[in-house]
C-alpha cells in the first residue's frame, strides 16, 4: 500500500489506527440504539449491510486518504459486533453461565484474527492487499445470510428493560454509565491492559521486518503466537470466572465482584511478560522465545478481559450492550489515537523503555481492580438504569 499510493509512514499508521479509533466510536451509537429501542437483530443487519458495501469500495479505492475514510466507516459498522454480542449473551444466559459464554465468544472472536494472520500475509503478498477487502465483503455477505435466517431477536428473552418509545433516541446514552465508579475504574484498567494489543499490531511488523528480515507472510505467521494466547486466555478465563461464582450463586450469596478474583493471575502476568518482551526484543533475542513471551502476555490480557467483561455485564442488568460499548470506546478510541504516534514514541524512548513504561502502567492499574473489589458492592447499590 505504501508503494502503490506513495504514502508516508504517518498515512499508513493512520490507516491502521483510524479503524481502531472508529471501532470504539461506532460501538456507542449501535449499543445505544440496541438497548434503548429493544432490538439486537435489526442492528446486526444494518451494520453488516454497510460493512459489506464499504469493503467493496475499499477494494477499489484509488488513493490512501479515500481508503482511510472508507476503512473508518467500515470499522464503525464492525464495531457493533462486540456490544451486540455482549447484549445477546446477557439476554439469554443466566449469571452463573455468562463467564463461560463470554469465554467461548471471545475464543471465536480471536479465532478470526488467528486465521487472518495466518492467511492475510500470504494474500497480501501473493494476491495483493485489495483481495483482503474482497474476501471481507464475501465473508460479510455469508454472515448476513446466517443472521437473516437463523438469528432470532433475543432482547426480551430474559431482559427486565423494555423499549420506551416515548423517549427520544440518545446515541451517546451509554456514556452515562461512566458516572458509576466501579464501571469507570474497571474500564480504565481494561484500556490500560489491552492497549498493548494495538501497540503490538504497529510494532511487530516494523521491528520484525527490520530486525529479523521477516517478509509479510512471515510476520503474519508470527502473529499466531499472540492470537493463540488471546483465544486460550479468553476461554479459560471465562470458565474460571464461572467456577469462582457458581458456589455463591447456589447459596444465593453471589456478588459480581467475586469475578475479579479470576483476574488476579492474568493482571500480574501482563506487566511481567510485557517487560521481558521489550528487553529481549531490544537485543534481537531468539524469535521463538519472543513468540512464547507474547503468547503468555496475550493469554494474560484476554483471561483478564474475559473475566472483567462478565463483571461489567453482571453489574449493569439489562444494559449489557451499552456497558460493553463504553468499554470498546475507551479500549479502541484512545489507543487508536496513541498508536498513530507509536513509531515516533518507540524511536524516542527505544523498544525496551517503551515496553517498560507500558508494563509499569499495567502494574499500577491493578490498584484500580483492588479498589473495585473492596468498594464495588457499595457502589453498585447506587446503580440506576440511565437508558
Amino acid at each position: 500500500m505504501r508503494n502503490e499510493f506513495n504514502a508516508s509512514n504517518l498515512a499508513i499508521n493512520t490507516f491502521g489506527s483510524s479503524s481502531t479509533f472508529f471501532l470504539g466510536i461506532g460501538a456507542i451509537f449501535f449499543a445505544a440504539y440496541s438497548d434503548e429501542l429493544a432490538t439486537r437483530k435489526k442492528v446486526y443487519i444494518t451494520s453488516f449491510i454497510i460493512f459489506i458495501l464499504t469493503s467493496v469500495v475499499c477494494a477499489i479505492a484509488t488513493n490512501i486518504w479515500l481508503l482511510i475514510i472508507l476503512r473508518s466507516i467500515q470499522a464503525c459498522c464492525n464495531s457493533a459486533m462486540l456490544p451486540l454480542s455482549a447484549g445477546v449473551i446477557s439476554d439469554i444466559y443466566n449469571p452463573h453461565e455468562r463467564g463461560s459464554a463470554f469465554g467461548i465468544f471471545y475464543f471465536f472472536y480471536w479465532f478470526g484474527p488467528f486465521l487472518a494472520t495466518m492467511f492475510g500475509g500470504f494474500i497480501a503478498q501473493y494476491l495483493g492487499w485489495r483481495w483482503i477487502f474482497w474476501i471481507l465483503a464475501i465473508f460479510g455477505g455469508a454472515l448476513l445470510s446466517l443472521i437473516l435466517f437463523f438469528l432470532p431477536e433475543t432482547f426480551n428473552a430474559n431482559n427486565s428493560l423494555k423499549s420506551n418509545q416515548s423517549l427520544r433516541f440518545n446515541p451517546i446514552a451509554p456514556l452515562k454509565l461512566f458516572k458509576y465508579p466501579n464501571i469507570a475504574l474497571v474500564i480504565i484498567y481494561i484500556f490500560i491492559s489491552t492497549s498493548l494489543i494495538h501497540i503490538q499490531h504497529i510494532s511487530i511488523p516494523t521491528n520484525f521486518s527490520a530486525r529479523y528480515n521477516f517478509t509479510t507472510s512471515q510476520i503474519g505467521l508470527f502473529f499466531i503466537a499472540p492470537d493463540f494466547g488471546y483465544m486460550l486466555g479468553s476461554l479459560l478465563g471465562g470458565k474460571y470466572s464461572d467456577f469462582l461464582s457458581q458456589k455463591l450463586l447456589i447459596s444465593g450469596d453471589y456478588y459480581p465482584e467475586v469475578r475479579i478474583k479470576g483476574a488476579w493471575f492474568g493482571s500480574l502476568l501482563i506487566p511481567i511478560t510485557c517487560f521481558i518482551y521489550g528487553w529481549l526484543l531490544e537485543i534481537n533475542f531468539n524469535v521463538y522465545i519472543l513468540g512464547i513471551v507474547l503468547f503468555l502476555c496475550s493469554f494474560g490480557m484476554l483471561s483478564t478481559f474475559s473475566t472483567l467483561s462478565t463483571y461489567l455485564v453482571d453489574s449493569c442488568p439489562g444494559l449489557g450492550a451499552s456497558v460493553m460499548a463504553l468499554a470498546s470506546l475507551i479500549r479502541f478510541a484512545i489507543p487508536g489515537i496513541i498508536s498513530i504516534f507509536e513509531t515516533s514514541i518507540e524511536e524516542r524512548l527505544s523498544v525496551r523503555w517503551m515496553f517498560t513504561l507500558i508494563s509499569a502502567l499495567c502494574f499500577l492499574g491493578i490498584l484500580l481492580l483492588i479498589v473495585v473489589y473492596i468498594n464495588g458492592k457499595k457502589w453498585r447499590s447506587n446503580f440506576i438504569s440511565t437508558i
Side-chain angles (χ1 to χ4, degrees):
M1 288 170 59
R2 183 182 289 109
N3 293 335
E4 181 173 336
F5 294 127
N6 192 27
S8 64
N9 286 333
L10 178 62
I12 295 299
N13 284 351
T14 302
F15 168 76
S17 302
S18 63
S19 61
T20 302
F21 176 80
F22 283 100
L23 275 172
I25 297 297
I28 289 291
F29 172 83
F30 286 116
Y33 187 91
S34 175
D35 276 344
E36 190 169 340
L37 300 181
T39 179
R40 310 292 189 207
K41 186 169 184 176
K42 290 179 182 178
V43 184
Y44 267 124
I45 293 171
T46 301
S47 61
F48 262 102
I49 289 173
I50 303 174
F51 174 82
I52 294 165
L53 293 175
T54 51
S55 296
V56 171
V57 182
C58 280
I60 58 176
T62 55
N63 67 76
I64 186 65
W65 296 109
L66 175 62
L67 186 61
I68 289 171
I69 293 171
L70 293 168
R71 180 74 175 103
S72 299
I73 297 173
Q74 182 197 52
C76 272
C77 300
N78 196 27
S79 69
M81 301 308 107
L82 273 176
L84 286 177
S85 299
V88 170
I89 289 172
S90 68
D91 293 340
I92 65 177
Y93 284 95
N94 293 319
H96 69 280
E97 302 170 315
R98 285 179 188 157
S100 296
F102 269 106
I104 294 170
F105 165 68
Y106 283 118
F107 177 87
F108 285 100
Y109 174 84
W110 285 104
F111 187 66
F114 177 78
L115 291 179
T117 50
M118 272 201 299
F119 298 109
F122 288 99
I123 292 170
Q125 186 169 342
Y126 297 108
L127 297 179
W129 63 267
R130 294 180 186 276
W131 263 100
I132 291 176
F133 289 104
W134 287 119
I135 292 171
L136 285 175
I138 295 168
F139 190 63
L143 289 176
L144 177 60
S145 299
L146 292 175
I147 290 168
L148 281 170
F149 296 108
F150 297 104
L151 179 69
E153 179 57 69
T154 66
F155 188 92
N156 292 319
N158 188 27
N159 202 319
S160 59
L161 293 181
K162 304 295 181 182
S163 175
N164 188 342
Q165 299 296 341
S166 65
L167 295 176
R168 294 183 62 186
F169 169 56
N170 181 1
I172 60 172
L175 295 177
K176 296 178 182 178
L177 294 173
F178 212 66
K179 70 181 181 182
Y180 299 105
N182 60 318
I183 302 300
L185 293 179
V186 168
I187 288 176
I188 291 171
Y189 173 76
I190 288 174
F191 151 65
I192 294 171
S193 61
T194 59
S195 292
L196 188 57
I197 296 175
H198 311 291
I199 292 172
Q200 284 176 358
H201 287 171
I202 301 293
S203 176
I204 287 176
T206 302
N207 279 289
F208 281 76
S209 60
R211 296 172 182 270
Y212 300 98
N213 296 318
F214 272 22
T215 63
T216 302
S217 55
Q218 287 173 321
I219 290 171
L221 290 173
F222 184 78
F223 269 109
I224 291 174
D227 286 343
F228 188 63
Y230 299 144
M231 292 164 58
L232 194 62
S234 60
L235 188 64
L236 296 182
K239 287 187 175 297
Y240 183 57
S241 172
D242 274 354
F243 172 77
L244 291 174
S245 63
Q246 278 176 353
K247 289 184 178 180
L248 293 176
L249 282 163
I250 292 172
S251 64
D253 298 323
Y254 171 74
Y255 57 99
E257 284 71 33
V258 72
R259 294 190 183 274
I260 296 178
K261 291 182 179 180
W264 297 137
F265 175 75
S267 63
L268 289 171
L269 189 62
I270 296 167
I272 293 171
T273 51
C274 177
F275 177 82
I276 293 171
Y277 171 78
W279 283 72
L280 292 182
L281 180 60
E282 181 73 23
I283 60 174
N284 300 337
F285 204 73
N286 183 280
V287 69
Y288 295 104
I289 300 299
L290 289 173
I292 293 171
V293 175
L294 269 184
F295 164 80
L296 293 173
C297 184
S298 303
F299 178 90
M301 278 190 280
L302 261 293
S303 64
T304 303
F305 179 61
S306 179
T307 297
L308 296 179
S309 295
T310 312
Y311 170 77
L312 290 174
V313 170
D314 284 357
S315 298
C316 299
L319 299 175
S322 290
V323 72
M324 288 309 297
L326 185 59
S328 294
L329 173 66
I330 306 300
R331 188 166 73 91
F332 287 118
I334 298 176
I337 296 172
I338 295 173
S339 58
I340 293 176
F341 306 101
E342 188 278 335
T343 303
S344 301
I345 296 171
E346 187 176 306
E347 289 173 353
R348 186 174 293 272
L349 294 180
S350 80
V351 170
R352 72 176 70 181
W353 290 113
M354 182 183 74
F355 281 98
T356 298
L357 175 62
I358 296 169
S359 63
L361 292 174
C362 290
F363 187 77
L364 292 173
I366 298 173
L367 296 174
L368 302 178
L369 296 184
I370 294 174
V371 171
V372 174
Y373 181 74
I374 295 171
N375 299 298
K377 189 173 183 179
K378 177 180 66 177
W379 288 333
R380 279 188 300 102
S381 66
N382 298 324
F383 180 84
I384 300 173
S385 177
T386 56
I387 294 185

